[in-house]
Amino acid sequence: QTRNLPLHDALEDALKRPEAEEVILLLLNAYPQAAKEKMKDGRLPIEVCAKNKASEDLMLALYKANPKSRVEGLLFLGIVLTDGSSDDVVLAVLEAYPEAAKETFSTKSDVRILPLHIAREEKRSEEVKKALLDEYPDAEEVENPFKTTLRLHKLLEDTAPDEDVLDLIENYPDAVGKRGRDGRRPLHIAIVHK
């Protein structure tokens, strides 16, 4: 798209003036289809709001207008789990779309991961984790592809002692070649942090 819709322009304005949110909600009400159309820079409205910590009301309004939003391979539940949205927003999205608890989300490194795994990595509240498990009890049985890789990445990012890093690599040698959710391999992190 070469031009922004009025909703898109209002979103860009809201980044500068939070009181513009009321206008955004009115525009969204008048033309909900705008939530599904990309802005001239290629982003969806929900992506702009997620990255800029928009209010729960606005996030939920955009979600309801476009519940199947895909941003960087994640459905909206994955977005609100990772973008710092409140637990209330996460729970509201899960209530509106409970099937999302069973969907695997594609990460930047094309690894598939469940919402429960995302919630654990993001250190979400017990209430959120329980709600996800209530919707998909079998999630406990599904392996988290980032469990070991994430530990190695964190050790490297935190500049842990070399002995700790080597112990983990010795016990889980496959972790060395795996990409984290951000797409980086342990070598990339080690170059920057060690």
Side-chain angles (χ1 to χ4, degrees), residues 155 160-169:
L155 285 174
D162 290 345
E163 301 80 42
D164 293 349
V165 173
L166 292 173
D167 284 345
L168 183 65
I169 292 171

Side-chain angles (χ1 to χ4, degrees), residues 98-139:
E99 309 84 50
K102 297 177 182 175
E103 293 189 32
T104 57
F105 300 113
S106 177
T107 65
K108 289 179 185 175
S109 55
D110 289 329
V111 174
R112 306 296 292 176
I113 188 167
L114 285 171
L116 178 64
H117 299 148
I118 296 171
R120 287 181 174 154
E121 285 184 33
E122 297 291 325
K123 297 185 177 24
R124 285 297 188 155
S125 71
E126 290 305 314
E127 182 182 13
V128 166
K129 291 182 253 187
K130 182 182 179 325
L132 289 164
L133 273 171
D134 288 347
E135 293 301 334
Y136 185 40
D138 293 342

Side-chain angles (χ1 to χ4, degrees), residues 20-182:
E21 191 168 301
E22 189 175 329
V23 173
I24 294 168
L25 290 169
L26 289 170
L27 289 167
L28 185 59
N29 234 8
Y31 186 59
Q33 180 65 27
K36 298 177 182 178
E37 296 185 32
K38 290 185 176 184
M39 298 169 64
K40 66 182 175 189
D41 65 5
R43 297 178 299 167
L44 287 169
I46 204 154
E47 184 177 9
V48 174
C49 289
K51 300 267 190 248
N52 291 287
K53 312 283 189 258
S55 75
E56 292 174 19
D57 289 343
L58 181 54
M59 292 289 284
L60 290 174
L62 284 165
Y63 167 72
K64 287 176 183 167
N66 190 12
K68 294 278 187 174
S69 289
R70 290 195 174 271
V71 178
E72 295 177 5
L74 293 178
L75 286 171
F76 190 59
L77 180 59
I79 296 167
V80 297
L81 279 167
T82 58
D83 76 354
S85 291
S86 73
D87 286 349
D88 289 339
V89 170
V90 173
L91 293 169
V93 169
L94 186 58
E95 183 179 329
Y97 187 48
E99 309 84 50
K102 297 177 182 175
E103 293 189 32
T104 57
F105 300 113
S106 177
T107 65
K108 289 179 185 175
S109 55
D110 289 329
V111 174
R112 306 296 292 176
I113 188 167
L114 285 171
L116 178 64
H117 299 148
I118 296 171
R120 287 181 174 154
E121 285 184 33
E122 297 291 325
K123 297 185 177 24
R124 285 297 188 155
S125 71
E126 290 305 314
E127 182 182 13
V128 166
K129 291 182 253 187
K130 182 182 179 325
L132 289 164
L133 273 171
D134 288 347
E135 293 301 334
Y136 185 40
D138 293 342
E140 286 282 23
E141 306 304 316
V142 178
E143 181 186 353
N144 179 348
F146 290 116
K147 190 173 183 183
T148 306
T149 303
L150 183 65
R151 276 193 302 193
L152 179 56
H153 283 218
K154 288 223 180 279
L155 285 174
L156 292 167
E157 286 170 353
D158 295 341
T159 60
D162 290 345
E163 301 80 42
D164 293 349
V165 173
L166 292 173
D167 284 345
L168 183 65
I169 292 171
E170 191 174 310
N171 290 315
Y172 302 100
D174 290 346
V176 171
K178 298 203 181 205
R179 294 182 186 271
R181 198 173 60 205
D182 61 2

